[in-house]
């Protein structure tokens, strides 16, 4: 009976999508997901059968761009991808239900997931890979602390202990995440700026789990860099170590002797690209294919995007609100 409801929910999802497109009542990024889960609460359990390799991306910042980079390289393959950036449970179900072909199994699913909803997704979704970009203070109104955010992600991992974690080695708050498999780390060895360095000397201090101040031999921004502590805690061994040259409108990234020219702006986006490249290489995607695909990547709307507004070239940035702002 549940399987029948799964196929029925797929049909309803596609009909609802057509209706929303015709009537223009909604963009449909979550509404269809609500309907599908009402009809089939275990929808994602059945959806597992319709993609061979399941990749998730989570973290405070960079989820949408990193997911988009991965999906862009895999675009010529049959993939399932929540391209709208709707990353909560209903949004994920919304995207998956509209893209599943009952007669064909996708090669990959590439799904961005909100940190708080990752655990709900993993109640039924049997992911193979989880890439975590970083943990920052942007959303402390939701989690209370960086340790709280990490605990939320670890709770999700514990539901899928055979996950292969792909983690940012340069974020000291990610090294505590564990699964049954040894984590794969990506990071940055050196950064240079083609038009002069942008350095903030007033970065906040961060403490190790032992309570002592973290020391940095290299610090790229905020708490991201090469860190260590007197207690022995330090940046882990990195499999995908990058050298980055940041230009005004793109970045040159070298990993394992291969160079990638990625049309993304800023060091933080270059980190997103390093994570995406690491995930693709870990999945056996050829470096030549990655390199040739990334040069045509276009940023997600509103994320470091140039547009002409009233005759002026304008940079649009998505910047999260601070707690307490209205």
């Amino acid at each position: 009976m549940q399987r029948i409801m799964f196929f029925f929910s797929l049909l309803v999802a596609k009909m609802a999508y057509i209706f929303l497109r015709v009537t223009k009542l909604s963009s449909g990024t979550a509404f269809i997901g609500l309907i599908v889960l009402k009809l089939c609460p275990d929808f994602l359990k059945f959806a597992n059968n319709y993609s061979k390799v399941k990749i998730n991306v989570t973290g405070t910042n960079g989820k949408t761009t990193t997911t988009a980079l991965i999906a862009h390289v895999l675009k010529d393959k049959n993939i399932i991808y929540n391209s709208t950036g709707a990353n909560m449970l209903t949004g994920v179900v919304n995207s998956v239900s509209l893209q599943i072909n009952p007669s064909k199994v996708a090669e990959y699913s590439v799904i961005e997931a909100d940190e708080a909803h990752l655990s709900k997704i993993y109640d039924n979704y049997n992911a193979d890979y989880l890439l975590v970009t970083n943990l920052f203070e942007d959303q402390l109104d939701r989690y209370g602390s960086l340790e709280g955010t990490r605990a939320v992600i670890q709770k999700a991992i514990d539901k899928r202990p055979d996950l292969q974690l792909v983690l940012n080695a340069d974020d000291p708050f990610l090294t505590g995440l564990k699964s049954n498999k040894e984590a794969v780390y990506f990071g940055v060895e050196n950064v240079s700026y083609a038009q002069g360095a942008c350095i903030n000397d007033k970065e906040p201090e961060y403490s190790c789990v032992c309570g002592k101040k973290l020391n940095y031999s290299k610090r790229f921004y905020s708490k991201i860099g090469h860190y260590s502590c007197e207690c022995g805690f330090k940046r882990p061994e990195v499999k995908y170590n990058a050298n980055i040259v940041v230009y005004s409108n793109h970045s040159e990234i070298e990993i394992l002797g291969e160079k990638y020219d990625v049309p993304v702006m800023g060091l933080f986006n270059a980190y997103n690209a390093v994570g995406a490249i690491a995930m693709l290489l870990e999945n056996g995607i050829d470096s030549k294919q990655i390199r040739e695909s990334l040069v045509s990547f276009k940023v997600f709307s509103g994320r470091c995007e140039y547009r002409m507004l009233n005759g002026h070239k304008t940079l649009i940035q998505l910047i999260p609100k601070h707690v307490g702002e209205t």
Side-chain angles (χ1 to χ4, degrees), residues 233-274:
F233 176 73
K234 63 180 181 179
R235 180 181 186 251
E237 184 176 345
V238 179
K239 182 174 182 179
Y240 300 103
N241 219 8
N243 292 303
I244 297 175
V245 182
V246 180
Y247 292 85
S248 61
N249 60 357
H250 69 108
S251 292
E252 290 181 357
I253 299 171
E254 181 182 0
I255 300 177
L256 300 177
E258 297 284 347
K259 291 186 177 180
Y260 306 87
D261 192 339
V262 189
V264 294
M265 296 171 55
L267 178 57
F268 56 94
N269 268 329
Y271 259 96
N272 295 335
V274 173

mmCIF file of all heavy atoms in Angstrom, residues 233-274:
data_model
loop_
_atom_site.group_PDB
_atom_site.id
_atom_site.type_symbol
_atom_site.label_atom_id
_atom_site.label_comp_id
_atom_site.label_asym_id
_atom_site.label_seq_id
_atom_site.Cartn_x
_atom_site.Cartn_y
_atom_site.Cartn_z
ATOM 1 N N PHE A 233 45.630 19.253 19.581
ATOM 2 C CA PHE A 233 44.609 19.422 18.548
ATOM 3 C C PHE A 233 45.181 20.256 17.410
ATOM 4 O O PHE A 233 45.810 21.293 17.642
ATOM 5 C CB PHE A 233 43.386 20.114 19.148
ATOM 6 C CG PHE A 233 42.303 20.429 18.154
ATOM 7 C CD1 PHE A 233 41.501 19.429 17.635
ATOM 8 C CD2 PHE A 233 42.073 21.742 17.744
ATOM 9 C CE1 PHE A 233 40.491 19.717 16.723
ATOM 10 C CE2 PHE A 233 41.071 22.043 16.844
ATOM 11 C CZ PHE A 233 40.279 21.025 16.329
ATOM 12 N N LYS A 234 44.977 19.822 16.164
ATOM 13 C CA LYS A 234 45.507 20.570 15.029
ATOM 14 C C LYS A 234 44.741 20.238 13.758
ATOM 15 O O LYS A 234 43.929 19.295 13.726
ATOM 16 C CB LYS A 234 46.991 20.255 14.828
ATOM 17 C CG LYS A 234 47.282 18.799 14.490
ATOM 18 C CD LYS A 234 48.780 18.574 14.296
ATOM 19 C CE LYS A 234 49.068 17.118 13.935
ATOM 20 N NZ LYS A 234 50.521 16.879 13.715
ATOM 21 N N ARG A 235 45.003 21.020 12.736
ATOM 22 C CA ARG A 235 44.414 20.791 11.418
ATOM 23 C C ARG A 235 44.744 19.369 10.963
ATOM 24 O O ARG A 235 45.900 18.943 10.995
ATOM 25 C CB ARG A 235 44.987 21.800 10.429
ATOM 26 C CG ARG A 235 44.482 21.707 8.985
ATOM 27 C CD ARG A 235 45.182 22.777 8.168
ATOM 28 N NE ARG A 235 44.690 22.902 6.808
ATOM 29 C CZ ARG A 235 45.362 22.538 5.716
ATOM 30 N NH1 ARG A 235 46.567 22.004 5.838
ATOM 31 N NH2 ARG A 235 44.843 22.737 4.507
ATOM 32 N N PRO A 236 43.725 18.602 10.534
ATOM 33 C CA PRO A 236 43.981 17.208 10.137
ATOM 34 C C PRO A 236 44.717 17.107 8.811
ATOM 35 O O PRO A 236 44.873 18.092 8.090
ATOM 36 C CB PRO A 236 42.570 16.622 10.037
ATOM 37 C CG PRO A 236 41.706 17.791 9.717
ATOM 38 C CD PRO A 236 42.306 18.967 10.433
ATOM 39 N N GLU A 237 45.141 15.908 8.492
ATOM 40 C CA GLU A 237 45.803 15.657 7.214
ATOM 41 C C GLU A 237 44.812 15.866 6.081
ATOM 42 O O GLU A 237 43.678 15.386 6.131
ATOM 43 C CB GLU A 237 46.345 14.232 7.172
ATOM 44 C CG GLU A 237 47.129 13.903 5.919
ATOM 45 C CD GLU A 237 47.730 12.510 5.955
ATOM 46 O OE1 GLU A 237 47.788 11.919 7.054
ATOM 47 O OE2 GLU A 237 48.123 12.026 4.881
ATOM 48 N N VAL A 238 45.250 16.591 5.066
ATOM 49 C CA VAL A 238 44.350 17.009 3.986
ATOM 50 C C VAL A 238 44.641 16.207 2.718
ATOM 51 O O VAL A 238 45.782 16.146 2.261
ATOM 52 C CB VAL A 238 44.506 18.523 3.709
ATOM 53 C CG1 VAL A 238 43.589 18.953 2.578
ATOM 54 C CG2 VAL A 238 44.204 19.320 4.969
ATOM 55 N N LYS A 239 43.601 15.618 2.141
ATOM 56 C CA LYS A 239 43.747 14.866 0.895
ATOM 57 C C LYS A 239 43.724 15.792 -0.313
ATOM 58 O O LYS A 239 44.490 15.616 -1.264
ATOM 59 C CB LYS A 239 42.637 13.819 0.781
ATOM 60 C CG LYS A 239 42.740 12.957 -0.468
ATOM 61 C CD LYS A 239 41.696 11.837 -0.468
ATOM 62 C CE LYS A 239 41.828 10.955 -1.702
ATOM 63 N NZ LYS A 239 40.832 9.849 -1.708
ATOM 64 N N TYR A 240 42.827 16.780 -0.277
ATOM 65 C CA TYR A 240 42.671 17.705 -1.398
ATOM 66 C C TYR A 240 43.074 19.104 -0.932
ATOM 67 O O TYR A 240 42.251 19.873 -0.443
ATOM 68 C CB TYR A 240 41.231 17.683 -1.909
ATOM 69 C CG TYR A 240 40.795 16.320 -2.401
ATOM 70 C CD1 TYR A 240 39.967 15.508 -1.628
ATOM 71 C CD2 TYR A 240 41.238 15.825 -3.631
ATOM 72 C CE1 TYR A 240 39.583 14.255 -2.076
ATOM 73 C CE2 TYR A 240 40.861 14.570 -4.090
ATOM 74 C CZ TYR A 240 40.035 13.788 -3.298
ATOM 75 O OH TYR A 240 39.665 12.536 -3.751
ATOM 76 N N ASN A 241 44.359 19.392 -1.066
ATOM 77 C CA ASN A 241 44.937 20.649 -0.589
ATOM 78 C C ASN A 241 45.093 21.598 -1.775
ATOM 79 O O ASN A 241 45.692 21.239 -2.789
ATOM 80 C CB ASN A 241 46.306 20.377 0.044
ATOM 81 C CG ASN A 241 46.541 21.216 1.267
ATOM 82 O OD1 ASN A 241 45.655 21.910 1.756
ATOM 83 N ND2 ASN A 241 47.758 21.171 1.783
ATOM 84 N N ALA A 242 44.573 22.809 -1.653
ATOM 85 C CA ALA A 242 44.501 23.721 -2.792
ATOM 86 C C ALA A 242 45.415 24.924 -2.628
ATOM 87 O O ALA A 242 45.621 25.430 -1.517
ATOM 88 C CB ALA A 242 43.069 24.204 -2.986
ATOM 89 N N ASN A 243 45.952 25.387 -3.743
ATOM 90 C CA ASN A 243 46.589 26.697 -3.835
ATOM 91 C C ASN A 243 45.669 27.580 -4.667
ATOM 92 O O ASN A 243 45.227 27.183 -5.758
ATOM 93 C CB ASN A 243 47.966 26.590 -4.502
ATOM 94 C CG ASN A 243 48.954 25.838 -3.630
ATOM 95 O OD1 ASN A 243 49.207 26.215 -2.493
ATOM 96 N ND2 ASN A 243 49.502 24.751 -4.160
ATOM 97 N N ILE A 244 45.361 28.762 -4.150
ATOM 98 C CA ILE A 244 44.340 29.608 -4.773
ATOM 99 C C ILE A 244 44.905 30.982 -5.114
ATOM 100 O O ILE A 244 45.607 31.593 -4.302
ATOM 101 C CB ILE A 244 43.126 29.790 -3.829
ATOM 102 C CG1 ILE A 244 42.450 28.443 -3.562
ATOM 103 C CG2 ILE A 244 42.125 30.783 -4.398
ATOM 104 C CD1 ILE A 244 41.333 28.517 -2.550
ATOM 105 N N VAL A 245 44.600 31.441 -6.321
ATOM 106 C CA VAL A 245 44.840 32.828 -6.699
ATOM 107 C C VAL A 245 43.471 33.466 -6.929
ATOM 108 O O VAL A 245 42.700 32.996 -7.773
ATOM 109 C CB VAL A 245 45.695 32.951 -7.976
ATOM 110 C CG1 VAL A 245 45.947 34.429 -8.301
ATOM 111 C CG2 VAL A 245 47.012 32.211 -7.818
ATOM 112 N N VAL A 246 43.161 34.505 -6.146
ATOM 113 C CA VAL A 246 41.859 35.154 -6.220
ATOM 114 C C VAL A 246 41.949 36.388 -7.105
ATOM 115 O O VAL A 246 42.756 37.294 -6.846
ATOM 116 C CB VAL A 246 41.359 35.550 -4.816
ATOM 117 C CG1 VAL A 246 39.998 36.236 -4.906
ATOM 118 C CG2 VAL A 246 41.288 34.332 -3.910
ATOM 119 N N TYR A 247 41.130 36.417 -8.151
ATOM 120 C CA TYR A 247 41.031 37.578 -9.039
ATOM 121 C C TYR A 247 39.728 38.317 -8.739
ATOM 122 O O TYR A 247 38.939 37.895 -7.896
ATOM 123 C CB TYR A 247 41.071 37.135 -10.498
ATOM 124 C CG TYR A 247 42.412 36.575 -10.922
ATOM 125 C CD1 TYR A 247 42.723 35.233 -10.697
ATOM 126 C CD2 TYR A 247 43.364 37.373 -11.555
ATOM 127 C CE1 TYR A 247 43.947 34.705 -11.080
ATOM 128 C CE2 TYR A 247 44.589 36.856 -11.949
ATOM 129 C CZ TYR A 247 44.881 35.529 -11.709
ATOM 130 O OH TYR A 247 46.097 35.023 -12.079
ATOM 131 N N SER A 248 39.478 39.404 -9.445
ATOM 132 C CA SER A 248 38.288 40.205 -9.173
ATOM 133 C C SER A 248 36.999 39.477 -9.520
ATOM 134 O O SER A 248 35.963 39.701 -8.891
ATOM 135 C CB SER A 248 38.356 41.528 -9.941
ATOM 136 O OG SER A 248 38.417 41.285 -11.347
ATOM 137 N N ASN A 249 37.040 38.608 -10.529
ATOM 138 C CA ASN A 249 35.806 37.945 -10.949
ATOM 139 C C ASN A 249 35.932 36.432 -11.130
ATOM 140 O O ASN A 249 35.029 35.791 -11.659
ATOM 141 C CB ASN A 249 35.282 38.562 -12.240
ATOM 142 C CG ASN A 249 36.285 38.449 -13.376
ATOM 143 O OD1 ASN A 249 37.404 37.959 -13.187
ATOM 144 N ND2 ASN A 249 35.900 38.902 -14.561
ATOM 145 N N HIS A 250 37.048 35.859 -10.710
ATOM 146 C CA HIS A 250 37.211 34.407 -10.788
ATOM 147 C C HIS A 250 38.364 33.988 -9.880
ATOM 148 O O HIS A 250 39.078 34.844 -9.313
ATOM 149 C CB HIS A 250 37.467 33.953 -12.228
ATOM 150 C CG HIS A 250 38.801 34.372 -12.771
ATOM 151 N ND1 HIS A 250 39.834 33.491 -12.980
ATOM 152 C CD2 HIS A 250 39.287 35.585 -13.135
ATOM 153 C CE1 HIS A 250 40.877 34.137 -13.464
ATOM 154 N NE2 HIS A 250 40.572 35.410 -13.571
ATOM 155 N N SER A 251 38.555 32.691 -9.743
ATOM 156 C CA SER A 251 39.660 32.166 -8.936
ATOM 157 C C SER A 251 40.350 31.044 -9.691
ATOM 158 O O SER A 251 39.691 30.235 -10.367
ATOM 159 C CB SER A 251 39.142 31.635 -7.589
ATOM 160 O OG SER A 251 38.681 32.681 -6.770
ATOM 161 N N GLU A 252 41.668 31.011 -9.580
ATOM 162 C CA GLU A 252 42.447 29.893 -10.109
ATOM 163 C C GLU A 252 42.785 28.971 -8.948
ATOM 164 O O GLU A 252 43.348 29.409 -7.942
ATOM 165 C CB GLU A 252 43.724 30.390 -10.781
ATOM 166 C CG GLU A 252 43.477 31.128 -12.081
ATOM 167 C CD GLU A 252 44.774 31.586 -12.749
ATOM 168 O OE1 GLU A 252 45.849 31.369 -12.145
ATOM 169 O OE2 GLU A 252 44.702 32.153 -13.844
ATOM 170 N N ILE A 253 42.425 27.709 -9.091
ATOM 171 C CA ILE A 253 42.578 26.745 -8.006
ATOM 172 C C ILE A 253 43.426 25.580 -8.495
ATOM 173 O O ILE A 253 43.123 24.968 -9.526
ATOM 174 C CB ILE A 253 41.201 26.237 -7.542
ATOM 175 C CG1 ILE A 253 40.353 27.403 -7.021
ATOM 176 C CG2 ILE A 253 41.350 25.162 -6.472
ATOM 177 C CD1 ILE A 253 38.912 27.041 -6.753
ATOM 178 N N GLU A 254 44.470 25.273 -7.758
ATOM 179 C CA GLU A 254 45.316 24.130 -8.086
ATOM 180 C C GLU A 254 45.155 23.059 -7.014
ATOM 181 O O GLU A 254 45.342 23.318 -5.824
ATOM 182 C CB GLU A 254 46.783 24.535 -8.179
ATOM 183 C CG GLU A 254 47.702 23.377 -8.551
ATOM 184 C CD GLU A 254 49.172 23.775 -8.591
ATOM 185 O OE1 GLU A 254 49.470 24.952 -8.338
ATOM 186 O OE2 GLU A 254 50.014 22.886 -8.850
ATOM 187 N N ILE A 255 44.783 21.856 -7.434
ATOM 188 C CA ILE A 255 44.621 20.723 -6.529
ATOM 189 C C ILE A 255 45.280 19.504 -7.167
ATOM 190 O O ILE A 255 44.986 19.162 -8.318
ATOM 191 C CB ILE A 255 43.135 20.417 -6.251
ATOM 192 C CG1 ILE A 255 42.443 21.623 -5.603
ATOM 193 C CG2 ILE A 255 42.991 19.191 -5.355
ATOM 194 C CD1 ILE A 255 40.960 21.406 -5.372
ATOM 195 N N LEU A 256 46.166 18.859 -6.433
ATOM 196 C CA LEU A 256 46.849 17.650 -6.902
ATOM 197 C C LEU A 256 47.485 17.857 -8.280
ATOM 198 O O LEU A 256 47.442 16.982 -9.152
ATOM 199 C CB LEU A 256 45.880 16.463 -6.946
ATOM 200 C CG LEU A 256 45.238 16.067 -5.603
ATOM 201 C CD1 LEU A 256 44.243 14.933 -5.785
ATOM 202 C CD2 LEU A 256 46.295 15.682 -4.579
ATOM 203 N N GLY A 257 48.062 19.034 -8.479
ATOM 204 C CA GLY A 257 48.771 19.326 -9.714
ATOM 205 C C GLY A 257 47.900 19.754 -10.873
ATOM 206 O O GLY A 257 48.417 20.106 -11.941
ATOM 207 N N GLU A 258 46.578 19.747 -10.707
ATOM 208 C CA GLU A 258 45.653 20.167 -11.756
ATOM 209 C C GLU A 258 45.133 21.568 -11.445
ATOM 210 O O GLU A 258 44.843 21.889 -10.290
ATOM 211 C CB GLU A 258 44.475 19.197 -11.861
ATOM 212 C CG GLU A 258 44.861 17.785 -12.266
ATOM 213 C CD GLU A 258 45.170 17.660 -13.745
ATOM 214 O OE1 GLU A 258 44.846 18.606 -14.502
ATOM 215 O OE2 GLU A 258 45.706 16.618 -14.147
ATOM 216 N N LYS A 259 44.992 22.396 -12.490
ATOM 217 C CA LYS A 259 44.519 23.761 -12.300
ATOM 218 C C LYS A 259 43.095 23.909 -12.827
ATOM 219 O O LYS A 259 42.752 23.407 -13.893
ATOM 220 C CB LYS A 259 45.449 24.749 -13.004
ATOM 221 C CG LYS A 259 46.816 24.862 -12.343
ATOM 222 C CD LYS A 259 47.665 25.958 -12.982
ATOM 223 C CE LYS A 259 48.998 26.103 -12.266
ATOM 224 N NZ LYS A 259 49.840 27.174 -12.863
ATOM 225 N N TYR A 260 42.292 24.614 -12.058
ATOM 226 C CA TYR A 260 40.887 24.851 -12.395
ATOM 227 C C TYR A 260 40.617 26.346 -12.348
ATOM 228 O O TYR A 260 40.935 27.011 -11.360
ATOM 229 C CB TYR A 260 39.964 24.136 -11.403
ATOM 230 C CG TYR A 260 40.239 22.656 -11.256
ATOM 231 C CD1 TYR A 260 41.189 22.197 -10.344
ATOM 232 C CD2 TYR A 260 39.560 21.720 -12.024
ATOM 233 C CE1 TYR A 260 41.445 20.845 -10.201
ATOM 234 C CE2 TYR A 260 39.808 20.361 -11.891
ATOM 235 C CZ TYR A 260 40.765 19.936 -10.970
ATOM 236 O OH TYR A 260 41.022 18.587 -10.832
ATOM 237 N N ASP A 261 40.024 26.868 -13.419
ATOM 238 C CA ASP A 261 39.638 28.277 -13.472
ATOM 239 C C ASP A 261 38.133 28.331 -13.218
ATOM 240 O O ASP A 261 37.334 27.870 -14.038
ATOM 241 C CB ASP A 261 39.972 28.868 -14.844
ATOM 242 C CG ASP A 261 39.863 30.389 -14.859
ATOM 243 O OD1 ASP A 261 39.171 30.943 -13.974
ATOM 244 O OD2 ASP A 261 40.457 31.019 -15.742
ATOM 245 N N VAL A 262 37.759 28.889 -12.062
ATOM 246 C CA VAL A 262 36.352 28.846 -11.645
ATOM 247 C C VAL A 262 35.810 30.272 -11.581
ATOM 248 O O VAL A 262 36.350 31.112 -10.858
ATOM 249 C CB VAL A 262 36.207 28.162 -10.274
ATOM 250 C CG1 VAL A 262 34.731 27.937 -9.954
ATOM 251 C CG2 VAL A 262 36.963 26.835 -10.248
ATOM 252 N N PRO A 263 34.729 30.578 -12.314
ATOM 253 C CA PRO A 263 34.179 31.946 -12.347
ATOM 254 C C PRO A 263 33.339 32.279 -11.118
ATOM 255 O O PRO A 263 32.139 32.552 -11.207
ATOM 256 C CB PRO A 263 33.346 31.947 -13.632
ATOM 257 C CG PRO A 263 32.916 30.530 -13.789
ATOM 258 C CD PRO A 263 34.047 29.686 -13.269
ATOM 259 N N VAL A 264 33.974 32.238 -9.957
ATOM 260 C CA VAL A 264 33.317 32.647 -8.709
ATOM 261 C C VAL A 264 34.177 33.718 -8.054
ATOM 262 O O VAL A 264 35.403 33.727 -8.194
ATOM 263 C CB VAL A 264 33.113 31.461 -7.743
ATOM 264 C CG1 VAL A 264 32.133 30.462 -8.323
ATOM 265 C CG2 VAL A 264 34.438 30.786 -7.392
ATOM 266 N N MET A 265 33.533 34.632 -7.330
ATOM 267 C CA MET A 265 34.227 35.764 -6.735
ATOM 268 C C MET A 265 34.504 35.531 -5.255
ATOM 269 O O MET A 265 33.662 35.010 -4.530
ATOM 270 C CB MET A 265 33.376 37.028 -6.886
ATOM 271 C CG MET A 265 33.145 37.454 -8.310
ATOM 272 S SD MET A 265 31.919 38.787 -8.389
ATOM 273 C CE MET A 265 32.665 39.981 -7.271
ATOM 274 N N GLY A 266 35.697 35.927 -4.824
ATOM 275 C CA GLY A 266 36.000 35.933 -3.400
ATOM 276 C C GLY A 266 36.563 34.619 -2.893
ATOM 277 O O GLY A 266 36.286 33.541 -3.437
ATOM 278 N N LEU A 267 37.336 34.709 -1.814
ATOM 279 C CA LEU A 267 37.964 33.527 -1.243
ATOM 280 C C LEU A 267 36.932 32.546 -0.703
ATOM 281 O O LEU A 267 37.099 31.334 -0.822
ATOM 282 C CB LEU A 267 38.943 33.948 -0.136
ATOM 283 C CG LEU A 267 39.661 32.813 0.600
ATOM 284 C CD1 LEU A 267 40.431 31.923 -0.362
ATOM 285 C CD2 LEU A 267 40.576 33.375 1.679
ATOM 286 N N PHE A 268 35.867 33.061 -0.091
ATOM 287 C CA PHE A 268 34.859 32.163 0.469
ATOM 288 C C PHE A 268 34.225 31.307 -0.611
ATOM 289 O O PHE A 268 33.932 30.120 -0.404
ATOM 290 C CB PHE A 268 33.795 32.965 1.231
ATOM 291 C CG PHE A 268 33.119 34.038 0.439
ATOM 292 C CD1 PHE A 268 31.925 33.789 -0.215
ATOM 293 C CD2 PHE A 268 33.678 35.301 0.335
ATOM 294 C CE1 PHE A 268 31.305 34.775 -0.958
ATOM 295 C CE2 PHE A 268 33.063 36.303 -0.403
ATOM 296 C CZ PHE A 268 31.866 36.037 -1.056
ATOM 297 N N ASN A 269 34.016 31.876 -1.799
ATOM 298 C CA ASN A 269 33.477 31.086 -2.905
ATOM 299 C C ASN A 269 34.523 30.146 -3.481
ATOM 300 O O ASN A 269 34.188 29.063 -3.980
ATOM 301 C CB ASN A 269 32.936 32.008 -3.992
ATOM 302 C CG ASN A 269 31.463 32.310 -3.820
ATOM 303 O OD1 ASN A 269 30.713 31.484 -3.312
ATOM 304 N ND2 ASN A 269 31.042 33.487 -4.225
ATOM 305 N N ALA A 270 35.786 30.549 -3.432
ATOM 306 C CA ALA A 270 36.856 29.645 -3.865
ATOM 307 C C ALA A 270 36.887 28.409 -2.970
ATOM 308 O O ALA A 270 37.106 27.291 -3.446
ATOM 309 C CB ALA A 270 38.201 30.368 -3.839
ATOM 310 N N TYR A 271 36.647 28.599 -1.669
ATOM 311 C CA TYR A 271 36.549 27.458 -0.751
ATOM 312 C C TYR A 271 35.396 26.535 -1.164
ATOM 313 O O TYR A 271 35.520 25.303 -1.113
ATOM 314 C CB TYR A 271 36.333 27.939 0.681
ATOM 315 C CG TYR A 271 37.593 27.923 1.523
ATOM 316 C CD1 TYR A 271 38.367 29.071 1.675
ATOM 317 C CD2 TYR A 271 38.013 26.764 2.179
ATOM 318 C CE1 TYR A 271 39.513 29.070 2.444
ATOM 319 C CE2 TYR A 271 39.151 26.752 2.954
ATOM 320 C CZ TYR A 271 39.908 27.913 3.095
ATOM 321 O OH TYR A 271 41.052 27.894 3.858
ATOM 322 N N ASN A 272 34.262 27.142 -1.548
ATOM 323 C CA ASN A 272 33.136 26.327 -2.020
ATOM 324 C C ASN A 272 33.554 25.482 -3.219
ATOM 325 O O ASN A 272 33.196 24.303 -3.326
ATOM 326 C CB ASN A 272 31.965 27.216 -2.410
ATOM 327 C CG ASN A 272 31.376 27.972 -1.238
ATOM 328 O OD1 ASN A 272 31.480 27.552 -0.087
ATOM 329 N ND2 ASN A 272 30.762 29.114 -1.515
ATOM 330 N N ALA A 273 34.318 26.093 -4.118
ATOM 331 C CA ALA A 273 34.776 25.379 -5.310
ATOM 332 C C ALA A 273 35.741 24.260 -4.947
ATOM 333 O O ALA A 273 35.693 23.170 -5.530
ATOM 334 C CB ALA A 273 35.435 26.353 -6.281
ATOM 335 N N VAL A 274 36.621 24.504 -3.977
ATOM 336 C CA VAL A 274 37.550 23.459 -3.540
ATOM 337 C C VAL A 274 36.776 22.259 -2.998
ATOM 338 O O VAL A 274 37.078 21.097 -3.304
ATOM 339 C CB VAL A 274 38.527 24.000 -2.474
ATOM 340 C CG1 VAL A 274 39.382 22.862 -1.895
ATOM 341 C CG2 VAL A 274 39.430 25.073 -3.074
#
